[in-house]
Amino acid sequence: MNEEALAKIPGTTFSLKFGIEGKYYAVYLCRGSTPFKTKQLNILKGTTLNELPEEVENGLRYLLDMEEVYLSPVIVDRVVNDLIEQIPKGGQVFTKETTKKQYVTLSTGVSQLISKSEDRAGKKSVIEYAPSEKSKFDATAESIGKILLKTPKPLPKRDTTIEHSTLKPAINSKDDYLAIDEKVNILTNELQIVQGSIDQHTKEIKNVKKQITTLKKQTKELKELTKLATE
């Protein structure tokens, strides 16, 4: 087994890591290999791992839901299998022991640090090999406490009177919503009344047209009868 059981999640920048949280096994959601979310499994450390596949899958889905990432069951199974293959049957988890490298000893003074930085920057070589050249550095380690630094200018005061004058009173969104809803209902009712009136007038117009057609027909018949009678 590798020092860390870690499985990449395809299609994302995340990885799934197997580890321990307290007395229980756990899975960690990582960015790359750095954990940032954890889900404790319902398996006590050192007990049987028969339920490990199901627990790892549930933990993975829980962590992805928290990040609003949704994967197909095929990819979820692949990630779970890749992680379980790296876990031994005993469930032993190895962790890397990292030691912080001490770059500065406790006995090192500020003057010594500046002096070392000057050496790395090449100031000593400029002074030693070309004393006629003017150094681009304004101070040395020996200048600490002797050079007065410029005091920063104070920030301009903000005019709070303008800010208060531009503030608008708070709006009661609930009352506004009720007023708008009532207005919509009134307009809807008026629209229905107008539509009903239009429908009624349309019906009356159709009846008038039928009556006109009937009158035209009767007038034509009367004309024909009158013509026959005169002959």
Side-chain angles (χ1 to χ4, degrees):
M1 174 184 172
N2 296 330
E3 289 185 345
E4 293 183 349
L6 188 71
K8 293 183 178 180
I9 302 175
T12 69
T13 59
F14 300 133
S15 300
L16 187 66
K17 180 180 177 182
F18 181 76
I20 295 172
E21 186 180 63
K23 296 181 179 181
Y24 293 85
Y25 291 115
V27 287
Y28 299 85
L29 191 63
C30 309
R31 287 190 177 95
S33 58
T34 305
F36 68 96
K37 287 188 184 298
T38 179
K39 178 65 172 71
Q40 188 182 81
L41 305 183
N42 293 323
I43 302 178
L44 192 65
K45 182 175 64 176
T47 59
T48 178
L49 300 179
N50 292 335
E51 298 179 357
L52 184 61
E54 183 179 357
E55 285 291 320
V56 171
E57 180 179 348
N58 293 338
L60 173 59
R61 292 186 184 278
Y62 172 83
L63 294 172
L64 292 178
D65 286 344
M66 293 180 66
E67 292 298 310
E68 296 184 353
V69 176
Y70 304 100
L71 301 177
S72 67
V74 177
I75 296 179
V76 172
D77 290 343
R78 185 191 305 174
V79 175
V80 172
N81 291 334
D82 290 346
L83 185 67
I84 291 178
E85 287 178 357
Q86 303 177 51
I87 302 172
K89 293 182 180 180
Q92 185 179 3
V93 180
F94 296 93
T95 56
K96 291 183 179 179
E97 293 183 1
T98 56
T99 56
K100 294 183 178 179
K101 186 176 180 181
Q102 190 171 4
Y103 294 96
V104 181
T105 59
L106 297 177
S107 60
T108 303
V110 177
S111 299
Q112 293 175 342
L113 293 176
I114 297 177
S115 179
K116 288 181 180 180
S117 66
E118 291 171 353
D119 290 336
R120 290 194 297 271
K123 179 178 179 182
K124 295 297 184 182
S125 62
V126 173
I127 296 175
E128 183 178 353
Y129 297 104
S132 60
E133 296 182 12
K134 185 178 180 181
S135 172
K136 61 182 180 180
F137 297 92
D138 297 330
T140 63
E142 291 77 12
S143 302
I144 295 177
K146 299 178 182 178
I147 299 177
L148 297 177
L149 301 177
K150 293 182 179 179
T151 57
K153 294 181 179 180
L155 294 174
K157 294 183 178 180
R158 299 175 63 183
D159 191 352
T160 56
T161 58
I162 298 177
E163 291 182 0
H164 288 296
S165 63
T166 56
L167 291 176
K168 297 181 179 179
I171 298 175
N172 192 331
S173 58
K174 184 178 180 180
D175 293 342
D176 291 343
Y177 173 79
L178 294 175
I180 293 173
D181 187 54
E182 183 179 359
K183 190 171 183 180
V184 169
N185 291 333
I186 292 172
L187 292 175
T188 302
N189 293 334
E190 291 179 355
L191 180 62
Q192 290 177 352
I193 293 171
V194 172
Q195 186 66 43
S197 178
I198 292 173
D199 294 341
Q200 181 65 28
H201 288 310
T202 303
K203 187 176 180 180
E204 291 177 357
I205 290 171
K206 288 182 179 180
N207 292 332
V208 171
K209 286 183 177 181
K210 287 182 180 180
Q211 292 176 6
I212 292 172
T213 304
T214 303
L215 289 173
K216 285 182 178 181
K217 186 177 180 182
Q218 291 176 355
T219 302
K220 185 178 179 181
E221 292 176 352
L222 287 172
K223 286 182 178 180
E224 290 178 353
L225 293 173
T226 304
K227 185 177 179 180
L228 291 174
T230 56
E231 292 178 353

